[in-house]
């Protein structure tokens, strides 16, 4: 995707490799948008120095936005945001008995001075799209791709809406089931 | 703040004029950072056309980030985000019996495809700082000011920390009370 | 069902085709009551113009009540209600990590001026019965059918109650299990 | 308001006279819309026969919609809905330590077969507006008044929006404070 | 169980036959304690007259305590308690998206004047044991049996405790698994 | 109140003297019903031996029901219930940041084998009325008084209902305010 | 308190000087127990290096236990615990719209590997007493003082219990009020 | 593990043998750290005397820390803490319909005077590591082992981080899946 950047523009950080499967969709969405990205593992609590170093160096390496995914106490995005002035997107994961509410609160309720841009619990695609929206502020090419993505999304809903209007609920659902959804 | 932009770079939108007092701190923080901004009133439910028009025109008018504050069902940031690909920051307000939890959920749990960058309940300052972080991705001058802001914040905590270490808890609290905090 | 109306009296709207299975029971209940209805797909965020157009035109097309089902931030009923003065019934769906509480709050906590008539999480049958109650206010035929429906429901409980009294708990549960419930 | 009805079209029911102040706004909104209404006291638990009798007789007396307000366990709308097929609007009140969440759940989570149209916690105005939307389905005069109400509401927001755009945030807030808001 | 009573002393009421499986353990516990009981079906909303009649007649028929199990809005115990001065035990069931929290609040938060003795979500055994404790206040034979029950329960824990102390955690868990627990 | 008992029939236990004001209404309601009672202080955590001794001796001293009020972790009723087979009523108090939800859960969610009859948060009157309902199972005189109490309560609501019907909402509220409510 | 230690054994850390008033009671309780302590200011987000340095050096300076108080996202105790193997006590504060629930979850739900010993929301005294219990494991003098503290606490409750038993509820409450409680 | 102690230093207490599987990881973690421990069964409600006796004798038998695991009302750690001044770690378990939130509140919200050191819901490993941190305050050998444990944990994350950086997300996830994770 040379026309936008050869270096990663988005850093996706997780604190445990068990958090990698839920961020896969973020990586894929960024790939769809042709936005270079990297996925790194750095725990806020078990390898804090690695996390801090990542945050400190990110802007210098060309990263424009960081996505940090975490469950439970979910301090990772806050810790990163304390060491960079890049926008940090918090992606709370539904891990453990509180189903992600703990992670959501830990991310969104950051104290005055150090914001985390929080998206929905498990909303990996939205984390990626928010990163794209942020990059698009200063990058017309990203904006163009994002506009295309949104238009495609709209068109897909329009097609489904027409199909539903055409065949009716029961036939539509039968087709949907046949398609394995 | 001519050196960054003469046009508003940040649009702060509220859906009711009773929501203006809580966003004041966002406006002031942006002013401190020298970031041009505007505050507009456009209700997602009572004047939806105005809200839609604002979202559609914002990018063309030079706005880079939208902050939308709302309480209760708090659809405003989502409605704006549906009509622009600018990053939209959702600022949930603690209005009504659920104390802002309703607004938080209504903003952060956006469906796949249309993200809202949510900050804490009533966290107007963080909304502004997140807007600044976003603008700073493509604007070195904003980054410089943001870095200064963060450094000043750090220095203030350092001074307080030294004072506390110097005089001890009881004296520090007495001084704090005397200062009317 | 010519005697009540040849045109749809109830519009059931969903924002994603993944929300169609949970609204099926609403459609079936309306069919049982002989109330014409339509099921349409119109996303508040991905196809907002379609949603707005549906709401604006509904009354003119003879629709008397709209049922809008959604999960997560669940803005759909509120967006529709902003563009019509028809009664809009909100049906929150249990999608995602918050199990429908997000959708419930997003619907029920609408700001002053634009109400959404909210039913229980996933309560598709009740959404349909509420629509029928609303239509029945001005339509004696719908009221008659609704009264029949309620009487049949009561009779079914009475029969079960008699059976339970007759055979006792263990036998009743054995029969129930044998019937595959 | 002879042209719509001389008899009450909306019955507002509370279970305790301590719940009367929060329903006042519902009565006033109905009055603004020229919709005849009555306010009655009938407790689901302390005077259940009175509550049942009210529900049974309401339709025959010309009532088209019932609004039932309650806090705590808040069974009142459900009990009424069990004895009528009129639409019953549940208005949960923020009474006691759970701040209205108990009342909200007790109303909205009605079992299959007996719906309650629930509005927000303490949302008396929305309860009245929902009643008006329901009556308007079969009553063009109510629809006309409702449309006027909505237009006036919109115009008020538009005026505020213009004023804010004209004078700016700080001046607007100063005026607002001076007006005692 | 002639020595305590030939008539049912405890009435277990459910509002839907789908609630019968979870109350089975209550019936069995009462049987273990030799306390006569009956299980009846009477819906607060679908067959309110049956529910009211049951509550009104219960004391005259010799019933001393009523256990009412319900999920969702769970008005049943409150409706019964409004028509009798017998103690009514509310057993909230984990039905639907809110997992029983709705039923718990609907039962325990009864308004002043009409109490419901609420036990834990799904705690059918405790409902039965509470009924036994209540009957035991005026019935030494029930107290004697209850004391035996409690002693047996204690002895079982003591045996398990000794076994665990004897064989250690891993062996104990292996035995437990082998026993199919 | 010699005709029912000269000894306390109800023991009201609190774990801290700061919990005495909220139980006052329980004591007064019992007094109104002519039921002898005692109020004792015994902390489950700070004076566990006193709490255990109270529970062990209560039945022998003629106590028929125990009401235990507590806030926060609120173990008191459970600890008492572990040492007696008398029915123990748990009265959760709204103390601290969780507003009584902690106390409610700690009481109502007792493990299988040891039930606590839980009433609403701060519902002191209902705790007393539940105690009376329990005693009334074996005591016709208590039942008679309880029936009188309920009848008086009903009559009061009836009077208020008539007054409201007679004078209308605004006049009723004016009278109510004049009466200092 | 030379006989236990001349150096601080407990470090109380807050991240903002607005959190100092709620920790005062922790400091006072430690003073009562004669345990040397220090109160320091070090923000996890605004002065992360200071926080990390404190945690790294604490054990070497003789600190045995750290108490970290914070509200909102409340990462402070977790960040400290990541940089020391001293036990870290988390004291969640009721700051902001979520009333401390956010801070509670952020502290208690730490990921596997890095525990935080969490006490109740705002429970500063318990934080201090837990620190004392921890130090007492290896320090008989602290244990002796703690035992004295517990005995005094018990004696105070015993005295209040006797007084209540002696004078009765109303007189006791009158005395309590007179004493300004 | 003679070099640290031949007697159990940590007592792990559960109130029901169904709670043994979730504490297994605590026992294993202590074993990894070479810390002698015992697992005992003592119910706060069904065998309160056994629980009290355990707490009273623990310190004398050389136990330094108690871990108490419980679900539901979860009084066990509080009851133990009332009878010892050893630090008591509360491990809330996700049992029943409230998913462990009840147990969490019951443990963490202990009244002033009797703290429980609470860890996350189901966080058995953290309970053990907290016990080790506490013992390490007075035992350099435990500290040394704990430091090793933490270093090993860090090294594992570092290895995973390097591997992820080396092979990329998709390959890493494929390897992970192949390894059966």
């Amino acid at each position: 995707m040379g026309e936008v950047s050869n270096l990663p523009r988005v850093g996706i950080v997780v604190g445990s490799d068990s958090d990698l499967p839920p961020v896969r969709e973020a990586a894929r969405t960024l790939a769809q948008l042709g936005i270079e990205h990297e996925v790194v593992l750095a725990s806020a609590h078990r390898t804090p120095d690695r996390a801090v170093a990542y945050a400190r160096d990110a802007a210098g390496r060309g990263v424009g936005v960081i996505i940090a995914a975490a469950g439970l106490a979910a301090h990772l995005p806050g810790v990163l945001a304390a060491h960079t002035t890049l926008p940090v997107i918090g992606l709370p994961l539904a891990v453990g008995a509180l189903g992600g509410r703990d992670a959501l609160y830990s991310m969104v309720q950051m104290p005055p001075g150090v914001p985390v841009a929080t998206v929905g619990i498990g909303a990996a695609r939205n984390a990626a799209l928010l990163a794209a929206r942020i990059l698009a502020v200063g990058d017309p090419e990203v904006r163009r791709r994002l506009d295309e993505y949104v238009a495609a999304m709209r068109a897909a809903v329009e097609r489904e809406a027409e199909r539903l209007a055409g065949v009716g609920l029961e036939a539509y659902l039968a087709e949907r089931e046949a398609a394995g959804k």
Side-chain angles (χ1 to χ4, degrees), chain A residues 39-124:
Chain A
V39 182
V40 302
L41 180 57
S43 165
H45 297 115
R46 292 177 297 159
T47 60
D49 297 337
R50 180 177 278 267
V52 167
Y54 184 81
R56 285 210 175 123
D57 299 347
R61 291 176 51 244
V63 169
V65 188
I66 293 172
I67 294 171
L72 301 171
H75 298 182
L76 184 60
V79 165
L80 297 174
H83 292 281
T84 181
T85 51
L86 289 180
V88 177
I89 296 172
L91 170 57
L93 300 178
V95 174
L98 295 177
R101 208 161 314 188
D102 39 6
L104 170 58
Y105 290 172
S106 282
M107 289 179 179
V108 83
Q109 290 288 87
M110 284 291 288
V114 187
V116 165
T118 307
V119 294
I121 301 173

